[in-house]
Amino acid sequence: MATYAVDSKRQMMTATGVVNSVHEWEDTPEGRRQSERQAVDEETRLPLWAVEVNYRTVSFDRELTARAQVTVPAPLRPEIADYSPIEFGDLVASARVTKTGQLVESWRAGGIASHTPRKDTGKGTSGDKAA
């Protein structure tokens, strides 16, 4: 898998406001699947979060908007305003080819460098589970 450092100031991204926990993968008798346990960063031991972003790219001479999940470690779920600019620290992109020949990207960052926080922080969101 090829991995490339990305300058977050030059690769403009817009956060959609969707942030989900990243879950560990486990091997079961039925095969590999996601577990209920939240994954943690190996270096910082902080929980991992998937921050959904949109960005512009060019593929085969066509400009388009791409959507990606950027995995970041953070002690608490990042509260990010819907469709706001976002910058990441230590952003890297990895590319690999699947068994079917598709090119797949994955994004990871050391943290969030700057973003606009949600105005409804603490009020809950429709994705929150009841206790």
Side-chain angles (χ1 to χ4, degrees):
M1 177 174 0
T3 301
Y4 304 94
V6 178
D7 182 353
S8 190
K9 291 183 186 301
R10 293 186 63 203
Q11 176 59 69
M12 293 177 36
M13 293 183 162
T14 302
T16 66
V18 174
V19 179
N20 290 304
S21 57
V22 175
H23 292 271
E24 292 180 350
W25 286 90
E26 65 183 0
D27 293 316
T28 67
E30 296 82 32
R32 191 174 165 117
R33 67 175 185 87
Q34 283 190 347
S35 73
E36 295 294 319
R37 294 181 309 275
Q38 186 169 3
V40 296
D41 183 74
E42 291 179 10
E43 291 180 20
T44 65
R45 305 306 301 162
L46 292 173
L48 291 175
W49 304 93
V51 178
E52 186 179 78
V53 298
N54 292 326
Y55 63 95
R56 290 171 62 169
T57 187
V58 176
S59 181
F60 300 104
D61 294 327
R62 293 183 59 208
E63 190 171 3
L64 55 102
T65 301
R67 183 178 62 91
Q69 304 284 326
V70 179
T71 301
V72 296
L76 301 172
R77 180 183 183 273
E79 297 291 336
I80 300 169
D82 297 350
Y83 300 102
S84 61
I86 190 166
E87 289 182 12
F88 296 94
D90 301 322
L91 181 63
V92 296
S94 299
R96 65 179 176 84
V97 178
T98 66
K99 292 178 185 177
T100 61
Q102 287 185 298
L103 181 65
V104 177
E105 296 176 349
S106 62
W107 295 80
R108 189 174 185 96
I112 298 172
S114 67
H115 72 286
T116 304
R118 292 182 71 98
K119 291 183 179 174
D120 61 350
T121 299
K123 295 181 184 175
T125 60
S126 60
D128 289 346
K129 293 183 180 177

